[in-house]
Every structure is written in structure tokens, then in C-alpha cells.
Amino acid sequence: MATHFHTSHDGLDRLTDGVSAAKSVFSDIFSAKRLPTYVLGVTIMAVVTAAERALNAVETGFAFEWAILTVVALTTFGLLARAIVRGTRATQSWFATYANEARQTRSDNKLWATACRDPRVMNDILAAQGRFDLFVTEVPPSKKASAPKGAVNDDGLAALAPWAQLTRYY
């Protein structure tokens, strides 16, 4: 007599589908590519809030205050959008570079600590360094040549043939 066990449950399937849908929505909202837009929005909100506080000291009607705040928001956007977005992207790029360098340093330190404990790893590192030194002495760096018209500069063989390769179209 064969027994059949269900491998899934309808309620659990609905729950996991809902969680994956929420995850996709929130991952898009909180993605790093949207950060420059959020920083710009917060900056515009801060300037508009400061302008609104200044307008509270002056007796204005709702429509006039709304018009002034709209002009302030659009002017702030026009004047600061490019600088804030570029600055935020540059900061993100700097942090990414810093994180990659820190990750690489940690990895190198971990490998070196392992190599200090294990002579086989140290031997592999020293052999790789020897091969690199041998390659550098066998293939000296060449002077950068000016490429003739119609030449391909980067053909993937620059270490072996650093001169410009002529391109033929048949």
C-alpha cells in the first residue's frame, strides 16, 4: 500500500508567494541606485521647510504661500539636482571602492595567516610570485605606439603583441 505525502501546503505556498512579492517591491524601493533621488528629495524638503518657516513670520494667504513654496521647490530642484545626484553617486562609488579594497585586504591577510601556518600554501604563493617575476622579466613593457588609422588598440594580446593590430574588413 503506497502512501502519498503532500510536499507543499496551499497556505504555505500563498505565504511564500506573498513574501517574495513584498521582497521584490521593497528591494526595488530600497535599492542603492535610488539613493541619489532620495537624497535630492530630502534636500528639497529641507529647503522648502526652511522657506515655509520663514513664511510663517509673514502674513500670507494659502494660495500665495503655496505658489512661493512651489517656486522654491522647483528652483531648488533646478539648481541642486545635478550637483546632489553626482555627489551622491561619487560618494557611493567611493564607498564601493573602499569596501572592495577592505575586502581584498582582509582576504590577503587571511591568506597570509593561512600561509604562515601551512607550508604548502606558502609554497604555492612563492611559486606564483616566481612565475610572475619570470613573466615580467621575459615580457618587458613596451612603449606606447601611436596607432595607425584603422587599427585596433585592444585585441586582448597587448602583453604578447603590444603594437597596434591592423584591421581588415573582407
Side-chain angles (χ1 to χ4, degrees):
M1 176 169 138
T3 311
H4 178 68
F5 293 105
H6 292 286
T7 57
S8 65
H9 187 272
D10 292 338
L12 185 59
D13 290 342
R14 285 192 303 273
L15 178 70
T16 55
D17 290 344
V19 168
S20 65
K23 180 181 174 186
S24 68
V25 167
F26 286 118
S27 67
D28 188 43
I29 290 172
F30 295 114
S31 70
K33 67 181 178 182
R34 299 214 184 260
L35 185 64
T37 305
Y38 295 152
V39 171
L40 177 62
V42 168
T43 304
I44 291 172
M45 287 173 26
V47 171
V48 169
T49 302
E52 193 269 333
R53 294 280 171 101
L55 286 175
N56 282 343
V58 181
E59 290 295 324
T60 58
F62 173 78
F64 187 62
E65 187 173 322
W66 181 82
I68 290 173
L69 292 176
T70 301
V71 168
V72 167
L74 292 174
T75 304
T76 303
F77 179 79
L79 293 176
L80 298 179
R82 177 174 280 175
I84 288 175
V85 169
R86 282 185 180 176
T88 306
R89 285 185 182 147
T91 303
Q92 285 178 306
S93 175
W94 181 84
F95 274 119
T97 303
Y98 178 79
N100 285 338
E101 289 174 359
R103 189 178 307 113
Q104 184 65 40
T105 301
R106 281 193 308 272
S107 173
D108 290 346
N109 290 340
K110 198 181 229 182
L111 177 63
W112 187 252
T114 303
C116 288
R117 289 189 310 268
D118 189 349
R120 296 172 298 175
V121 176
M122 183 64 81
N123 188 35
D124 288 345
I125 291 173
L126 293 174
Q129 285 177 340
R131 285 192 304 269
F132 176 76
D133 293 339
L134 182 64
F135 179 75
V136 168
T137 57
E138 285 182 4
V139 182
S142 63
K143 294 180 181 178
K144 189 169 189 165
S146 62
K149 186 174 181 174
V152 175
N153 290 328
D154 184 20
D155 58 357
L157 299 173
L160 302 175
W163 52 87
Q165 302 292 314
L166 294 178
T167 304
R168 294 185 183 176
Y169 297 101
Y170 297 100

